Amino acid sequence: MLTFDAVVIGSGPSGGMAAYEMAKAGLKVAILEKETLPRYKTCGGGLVFRGRAMLPFDLHEAIEKEYSLIHIYFKHLENPFVSKRDFPIISMVMRDKLDQLICGEAIKSGATLLENQALQKIDFQDEILLHTGSQTLRTRYVVAADGALGPTAKLAGWKETRKLIPALEYETEVHAQDFERLSKEARFDIDAIPHGYAWCFPKAKHLSIGVATFKKERINLRDHYQQYIKKLGIQQIVSEQAHGFQIPVGFRTEKLANRNTFLTGDAAGLADPLTAEGITNGIHSGILAGKAISQHFDNPQKAESTYLSSLEERILPELRFNGMLSGFFYSYGKIRNYLVNKEGQKFCEVLTDLFTGKINLNEELKLKAIRKMGLGKLMKF
Ligand SMILES: Cc1cc2nc3c(=O)[nH]c(=O)nc-3n(C[C@H](O)[C@H](O)[C@H](O)COP(=O)(O)OP(=O)(O)OC[C@H]3O[C@@H](n4cnc5c(N)ncnc54)[C@H](O)[C@@H]3O)c2cc1C
């Protein structure tokens, strides 16, 4: 039986980075992946600067386009709000390449990739036994990084408490004139779909176009995609491939590490409830889980508490806050539009600062709370 210090289930950004951290620290690590890499992953492939900056290696091979401007359109306004920075706010990737690149770095650091093998069952004994259809692996730690629909959390005893929203992504090839026109910007169209937004993210030779709604309701995503294609003024589609998937925009209510099993990324439910952006928190939580396990390998309780408290430093408070904001933003369109008419550019700048990581929302919230309590002067800010 193959034996490892840690087995990571899933080779997305969460899994790749958890494996990278642990392998770099000298642990014997495997990544168990049900597909064969490189594999397609349904995703807009918009990697925001905050996530990109967390990756400690060169990403050039995986980046198809970069945008230092973002365009945010609101349905009720003719012109978009535009934010500009002097570095790429958003980098466009195809996830097969990005995920393979990250896993490649984990492998270079010593991790083993076991492809084409799906986790099917877990037995918790003195150590953990992981059963795939063809073999059993023995391990001390498990990192669940198997995405929105992976089985690890359920097999390990977690209930389903995430909020999952439906999203539809098309990889769309259009004629040269339309491609040239639309690839000038990375655009978000708020309200292009009820309670949600549409996006058009240009890749090297095609457009990733998608729609997501943040309210759980029956909705025909295909119709909204078709309407969005018209709005974009696309004359003719050369080819298109549709991919539907779920995005977990509300994290699990039970603690995210238990019985030597650590939930990361979409398996934990860490995509952002305002933007549905999940690569960054996937990378970040993978790093945190990998570090906690490596640093406290001989003390699983300490490893778990370290992971849980590191998630509370930034990721979870931000998700809680953005969860509340999202409820307002997508459900109270009239009041929101009134505010957008007055302060839309400011909103766009704040969103950009969140994408780039300039604003640490948790720190901002703490500071505001301290100021509110009248302690600002005392604490010198
Ligand atoms: C339509 C759509 C558009 C999106 N656009 C963006 C965007 O533009 N920017 C952004 O930041 N985020 C976006 N997201 C969210 C983003 O894709 C996810 O948040 C991110 O992929 C989470 O990474 P992960 O590593 O946690 O999981 P994943 O990337 O989902 O990786 C999970 C891996 O686990 C494997 N796996 C599953 N089950 C098993 C099993 N039983 N055994 C072994 N392996 C298994 C899968 O094959 C997969 O490789 C989008 C999501 C959707 C659905």
Side-chain angles (χ1 to χ4, degrees):
M1 192 188 301
L2 289 174
T3 301
F4 295 94
D5 294 326
V7 176
V8 177
I9 319 295
S11 67
S14 322
M17 283 314 292
Y20 173 79
E21 282 298 331
M22 292 188 286
K24 219 173 47 147
L27 298 191
K28 190 176 174 201
V29 182
I31 304 171
L32 187 68
E33 169 56 54
K34 73 177 166 68
E35 310 280 343
T36 303
L37 297 191
R39 56 95 186 89
Y40 180 82
K41 158 75 178 91
T42 304
C43 186
L47 172 61
V48 297
F49 185 79
R50 177 174 162 190
R52 180 175 170 172
M54 285 177 200
L55 294 170
F57 30 76
D58 182 29
L59 281 189
H60 270 89
E61 274 175 33
I63 290 177
E64 307 221 343
K65 281 194 174 1
E66 293 178 329
Y67 292 88
S68 50
L69 293 174
I70 57 168
H71 288 67
I72 303 185
Y73 291 77
F74 284 83
K75 200 175 176 180
H76 73 289
L77 296 175
E78 205 176 315
N79 294 317
F81 295 102
V82 184
S83 255
K84 185 177 186 324
R85 298 292 180 270
D86 52 12
F87 51 87
I89 300 169
I90 189 161
S91 306
M92 298 302 173
V93 299
M94 287 304 287
R95 289 288 305 279
D96 52 353
K97 278 198 198 149
L98 176 75
D99 295 4
Q100 193 180 29
L101 189 151
I102 297 176
C103 278
E105 293 293 333
I107 293 165
K108 269 193 235 160
S109 304
T112 303
L113 175 64
L114 303 170
E115 296 174 287
N116 202 16
Q117 296 190 53
L119 175 72
Q120 294 182 352
K121 188 167 171 267
I122 307 182
D123 281 328
F124 289 92
Q125 302 181 350
D126 286 346
E127 293 195 284
I128 301 173
L129 300 181
L130 300 172
H131 307 280
T132 72
S134 55
Q135 64 174 326
T136 298
L137 312 175
R138 188 204 306 266
T139 182
R140 185 92 185 269
Y141 287 94
V142 173
V143 175
D146 50 346
L149 304 180
T152 310
K154 189 173 178 198
L155 293 173
W158 270 271
K159 293 190 205 91
E160 183 53 88
T161 52
R162 294 169 300 173
K163 177 185 174 190
L164 292 150
I165 59 164
L168 183 62
E169 165 82 18
Y170 279 74
E171 307 297 354
T172 308
E173 207 185 322
V174 295
H175 276 297
Q177 255 182 341
D178 278 341
F179 183 70
E180 205 189 305
R181 174 174 61 81
L182 289 165
S183 55
K184 290 197 175 102
E185 55 188 44
R187 68 183 277 175
F188 299 82
D189 284 82
I190 314 292
D191 289 346
I193 170 168
H195 310 289
Y197 74 89
W199 62 89
C200 177
F201 289 174
K203 301 294 167 61
K205 292 188 177 143
H206 75 280
L207 305 168
S208 290
I209 301 177
V211 288
T213 177
F214 287 74
K215 199 166 180 191
K216 278 189 160 187
E217 61 185 354
R218 276 188 164 268
I219 191 162
N220 190 329
L221 293 174
R222 275 174 199 267
D223 279 357
H224 289 287
Y225 164 78
Q226 296 298 350
Q227 285 167 26
Y228 187 49
I229 289 288
K230 281 194 196 133
K231 183 183 167 69
L232 292 174
I234 292 175
Q235 299 297 325
Q236 203 189 340
I237 288 180
V238 177
S239 73
E240 61 183 3
Q241 286 167 3
H243 304 271
F245 209 71
Q246 311 248 357
I247 312 180
V249 293
F251 59 89
R252 292 179 190 273
T253 53
E254 292 170 285
K255 63 179 184 167
L256 299 176
N258 199 10
R259 294 210 285 176
N260 291 27
T261 306
F262 292 61
L263 307 188
T264 60
D266 279 7
L270 303 181
D272 188 277
L274 186 62
T275 61
E277 187 256 319
I279 304 175
T280 297
N281 280 344
I283 292 170
H284 195 177
S285 58
I287 294 174
L288 295 178
K291 277 196 193 316
I293 294 170
S294 321
Q295 282 164 8
H296 304 288
F297 185 76
D298 291 324
N299 185 347
Q301 277 186 347
K302 181 80 180 144
E304 285 177 18
S305 62
T306 300
Y307 178 54
L308 297 176
S309 55
S310 64
L311 288 173
E312 284 295 348
E313 276 169 26
R314 184 160 183 179
I315 296 179
L316 299 185
E318 283 191 349
L319 293 180
R320 284 187 200 105
F321 183 79
N322 283 351
M324 285 189 304
L325 195 58
S326 164
F328 165 73
F329 191 82
Y330 294 112
S331 300
Y332 295 92
K334 277 194 184 151
I335 311 175
R336 183 207 60 205
N337 287 347
Y338 170 77
L339 296 173
V340 162
N341 294 344
K342 291 186 122 186
E343 301 287 1
Q345 188 59 39
K346 257 193 201 157
F347 165 76
C348 189
E349 297 301 334
V350 169
L351 190 68
T352 306
D353 285 343
L354 287 172
F355 280 163
T356 63
K358 186 178 170 204
I359 292 185
N360 178 338
L361 209 48
N362 188 31
E363 291 306 317
E364 295 285 318
L365 295 174
K366 271 191 211 154
L367 295 186
K368 289 223 172 84
I370 290 169
R371 277 196 201 110
K372 228 178 167 179
M373 286 187 286
L375 298 175
K377 270 197 187 142
L378 197 68
M379 301 185 76
K380 295 200 169 62
F381 50 75

